[in-house]
Amino acid sequence: MSAIPLTAQGAQRLQVELHRLKTVERPDVINAIAEARAQGDLSENAEYDAARERQGFIEGRISELEGTLSNAQIIEPATLDAEGRIVFGATVEIEELESGTTVTYQIVGDVEADIRANKISISSPVARALIGKSAGDVVEVKAPAGIREYEILTINYV
């Protein structure tokens, strides 16, 4: 597998989730399966089926997180010497020129992307247009709704 870029904060979040799945969720589902088995006939036992399904989800997520973390290339934005350019991990404030609205995004890996937390994937159209640019630059982003222009207001490496 190729390296998966993650910010240090994102890697920490994944490690916390993995720990919770292994120490809390996995034992809970094992207990639920044992209780359902104790009820007798498994062929018509909905609790048993639900617990087995939940166990499959938990084991799959544990496997996915372990694979991601083992192939992670952890990047600490604060230690980067990007000479004022936008790079992976940078937090960028941009203004849409047409509407005048401003928004702040952090450019992160695909695994960490969460638009509600203003974290956009490095492979998104906006991030691809921003990479390598500096404050004051105007970029064009080809979005599904058409071409949008943004001015880069500030760049931070946090």
Side-chain angles (χ1 to χ4, degrees), residues 47-66:
E47 286 98 14
Y48 178 78
D49 291 341
R52 292 287 296 171
E53 188 174 314
R54 178 85 179 129
Q55 182 184 36
F57 172 78
I58 290 169
E59 295 302 326
R61 183 66 178 152
I62 287 171
S63 176
E64 180 183 340
L65 289 172
E66 287 175 339

Side-chain angles (χ1 to χ4, degrees), residues 117-136:
N118 288 347
K119 295 178 184 282
I120 60 172
S121 168
I122 187 86
S123 59
S124 71
V126 173
R128 286 196 319 256
L130 292 172
I131 293 293
K133 304 294 190 285
S134 301

Side-chain angles (χ1 to χ4, degrees), residues 24-35:
V24 177
E25 301 283 333
R26 184 187 267 168
D28 285 350
V29 79
I30 290 171
N31 289 336
I33 290 171
E35 287 175 19

Side-chain angles (χ1 to χ4, degrees), residues 73-95:
Q73 176 185 359
I74 299 175
I75 299 168
E76 181 61 61
T79 62
L80 295 176
D81 182 23
E83 300 173 355
R85 299 227 176 259
I86 298 172
V87 294
F88 180 88
T91 302
V92 184
E93 182 181 11
I94 57 175
E95 176 183 1

